[in-house]
Amino acid sequence: METIYFKDHRKHTDDGYNIYRLLKDINGKDGVRIVFEKDTYEISPEYCFEKALHISNHGWNGYKRIFALIEDMESVELDFSGSTILTHDVITPFAIVNSKNITVKNVTIEN
């Protein structure tokens, strides 16, 4: 499994943008582990994926803003090392679509 460290991808002052770009860059790769350093990551809607989703037990289906979209992937691990994801506005934190063996760990999500 290839390990990618988020700190090596902090090219922009906005971590929401940096995370979006990194997840977009690994899209379609299998066997990837991304390790984030412990921090509070603020995520705003402009740096989110958008996708039509149909969520069970949810009053409205349609296009959603998604912080982390994992789609058509296998054996991916996101290790947030005890970080907090702070979302602004209405954002679906994680969507895992048509994928298998996906692990998201060591993260707290606040809105």
Side-chain angles (χ1 to χ4, degrees), residues 3 6 12 35 40 42 64-65 73 80 83 87 93 100 105 107 111:
T3 299
F6 175 67
H12 192 274
V35 179
T40 297
E42 293 193 39
K64 309 284 186 208
R65 292 180 189 251
M73 297 178 76
F80 285 91
S83 296
T87 61
K100 60 184 179 178
K105 65 183 187 178
V107 64
N111 185 300

Side-chain angles (χ1 to χ4, degrees), residues 23 26-30 49-53 66 68-74 76 95-100 102:
L23 292 174
I26 69 155
N27 189 30
K29 283 187 177 182
D30 294 331
F49 295 89
E50 290 186 352
K51 183 169 182 66
L53 295 176
I66 306 159
L69 175 62
I70 305 295
E71 187 169 23
D72 299 321
M73 297 178 76
E74 186 174 332
V76 173
I96 299 169
V97 180
N98 195 36
S99 297
K100 60 184 179 178
I102 307 300

Side-chain angles (χ1 to χ4, degrees), residues 40-52:
T40 297
Y41 298 101
E42 293 193 39
I43 308 302
S44 54
E46 59 265 21
Y47 298 125
C48 287
F49 295 89
E50 290 186 352
K51 183 169 182 66

Side-chain angles (χ1 to χ4, degrees), residues 54-98:
H54 302 283
I55 301 172
S56 299
N57 298 325
H58 195 273
W60 182 81
N61 289 311
Y63 277 89
K64 309 284 186 208
R65 292 180 189 251
I66 306 159
F67 159 63
L69 175 62
I70 305 295
E71 187 169 23
D72 299 321
M73 297 178 76
E74 186 174 332
S75 301
V76 173
E77 179 180 306
L78 303 178
D79 183 353
F80 285 91
S81 305
S83 296
T84 298
I85 303 295
L86 179 59
T87 61
H88 299 282
D89 208 355
V90 178
I91 296 172
T92 300
F94 298 95
I96 299 169
V97 180
N98 195 36

